Amino acid sequence: MASTSTALSPQSFDLLKAAFRGELIQTTDPGYNAARKLYNGMIDKHPLLIAKCMDVADVIAAVNFGVENNLLTAIRAGGHNGAGLGSCDDGLVIDVSRMKGIHVNPAAKTVRVEAGCVWGDVDHATHAFGMAVPCGFISTTGVAGLTLGGGIGYLSRRYGLTIDNLLSVDVVLADGSFVTANDKQNPDLFWALRGGGGNFGVVTSFEFRMHPVDVVQFGPTFWPLEESADVLKAYRDFIKTAPETVSGFFAYLVIPPAPMFPEQLHMKKVCGIIWCGTGTTDEMDKATKAIRSLGHPLLDHVGPAPFPMVQSIFDGLFVPGLQWYWRADNFTDLSDEAIARHTEHGPKIPTMLSTMHLYPVNGAAQRVGKNETAYSFREALFAEVIVGVDPDPANADKITTWCKEYWDALHPYSAGGAYVNFMMDEGQERVQASFRDNYARLVEVKKKYDPNNLFRVNQNIRPT
Ligand SMILES: Cc1cc2nc3c(=O)[nH]c(=O)nc-3n(C[C@H](O)[C@H](O)[C@H](O)COP(=O)(O)OP(=O)(O)OC[C@H]3O[C@@H](n4cnc5c(N)ncnc54)[C@H](O)[C@@H]3O)c2cc1C
């Protein structure tokens, strides 16, 4: 790995400024502190320069500037990365968040999205045509980071991961050249970008396939904590054979004091399933009736809702700047023993916003082979994520300890690796464990497109 410099040469900066249409923000500029803030308030990085790009030409200029000045270079889109991998200390941040163009092609059922969009932007644009792209569970996450890691959401069982709906990308490479990658052009790069993260260049736009998703069947069923072992067992068995129009993730959570919930449930620790179905209300009710009436539900409220509303329902809770620590793993099944570990640690949720989710990733997501894209864990049934969240930095240790202890208890039952987008900065072994036998091929692609590891502020694939 090349060493990096920690100061900007004024001459070279002036040249960049002349070539740049967006905004260049240095440490002494008034907007610096706002511009460097990340979604995760636990992470505080101080780059030398933030290059807020307006277009592809700006991205090319910024990449070349980083190389010429030997700067540690990070890429930022939505800024949501839990590990803060959208920024760096003493280096350059290539920030694409102002590149917000979206072009929907309803006839072809495709949408071209610039890299600065968040999922709420895409949901808004495609919903006007009664369509959606499989994305995550929240509207404020960046399209770029989420897609490049894989993309898990409510539509994964029916339509696959986000990368399974990616048709083409435009990329600025480490040498400043601009290429398109898809099945026909630079297919090795296209393969690597579908799961391999920001390792290979700055993606400037994505083309996705859309699906007819308009109004969905959404809502939770909550149960008392004491029933969580039974619910987990029933959920595990149910989701293996559930119709692909049905999705829903299991959670341990604290019910927030929001008007949509009965007051007697406010601040109550519960377990639950947050449902989202793409069939009719009748189909959803028929498919989920038995499991939703299991035991003694505290609340069961599933009904029609526009998809963009569902996608933004958690936005008000998970606002930017909270302390955020998470750990993750993939699971091919959930043994009764693993469920016993969940019932031990899940109920110990340390703060109102902390939670544990099990996202189902079977169905369409499993029909893609484990070597067809860089995303490896195609046989997984669940992506687990244990999330410690709180506004108060004084609680950082508390939420981190809960996550780590919970993760330690479950890890022995896991498939051995995690979804890279749910990882902190956990070291090279964990990165390799997440890509498994795809790692060697990723190294070859890295050697070809970024041999000097310019793009290394990520879950890094080392070119050596
Ligand atoms: C509240 C919350 C909810 C989430 N929900 C989901 C979910 O439902 N499903 C899911 O799959 N994930 C989810 N995630 C995880 C999310 O996918 C990752 O955090 C992802 O990295 C965020 O992307 P971003 O663009 O916002 O992040 P950033 O911090 O801007 O970037 C993250 C990384 O992506 C890479 N990157 C960003 N932009 C580019 C680009 N243009 N070109 C090349 N590389 C780039 C960089 O390597 C960077 O290090 C969630 C995260 C949070 C915080």
Side-chain angles (χ1 to χ4, degrees), residues 39 75-82 85-86 96 115 135-138 141-146 148 151-153 197-199 201-204 318 324 326 359 419 421-422 457-458:
Y39 179 84
I75 313 167
R76 175 181 179 141
H80 259 53
N81 189 271
L85 298 174
V96 296
C135 49
F137 298 90
I138 193 159
T141 312
V143 168
L146 180 138
L148 295 171
I152 295 172
N199 271 282
V202 185
V203 175
T204 54
F318 295 109
W324 190 279
W326 60 10
Y359 298 126
Y419 170 38
N421 272 347
F422 290 155
V457 186
N458 44 42

Side-chain angles (χ1 to χ4, degrees), residues 383-407:
E384 171 206 89
V385 63
I386 305 160
V387 196
V389 188
D390 196 66
D392 188 352
N395 286 332
D397 281 348
K398 188 158 107 177
I399 59 176
T400 304
T401 305
W402 174 72
C403 278
K404 285 184 176 165
E405 287 177 358
Y406 197 158
W407 183 86

Side-chain angles (χ1 to χ4, degrees), residues 210-232:
M210 306 188 294
H211 296 276
V213 176
D214 187 359
V215 169
V216 292
Q217 312 304 322
F218 177 77
T221 311
F222 294 138
W223 288 268
L225 286 176
E226 309 78 74
E227 297 184 9
S228 75
D230 291 341
V231 174
L232 262 170

Side-chain angles (χ1 to χ4, degrees), residues 75-123:
I75 313 167
R76 175 181 179 141
H80 259 53
N81 189 271
L85 298 174
S87 187
C88 60
D89 281 317
D90 302 323
L92 167 68
V93 174
I94 300 178
D95 182 329
V96 296
S97 64
R98 289 190 185 164
M99 295 171 61
K100 289 268 194 195
I102 300 184
H103 178 80
V104 178
N105 182 340
K109 296 194 173 61
T110 60
V111 57
R112 167 69 66 176
V113 179
E114 276 198 298
C117 292
V118 297
W119 280 105
D121 301 326
V122 182
D123 293 336

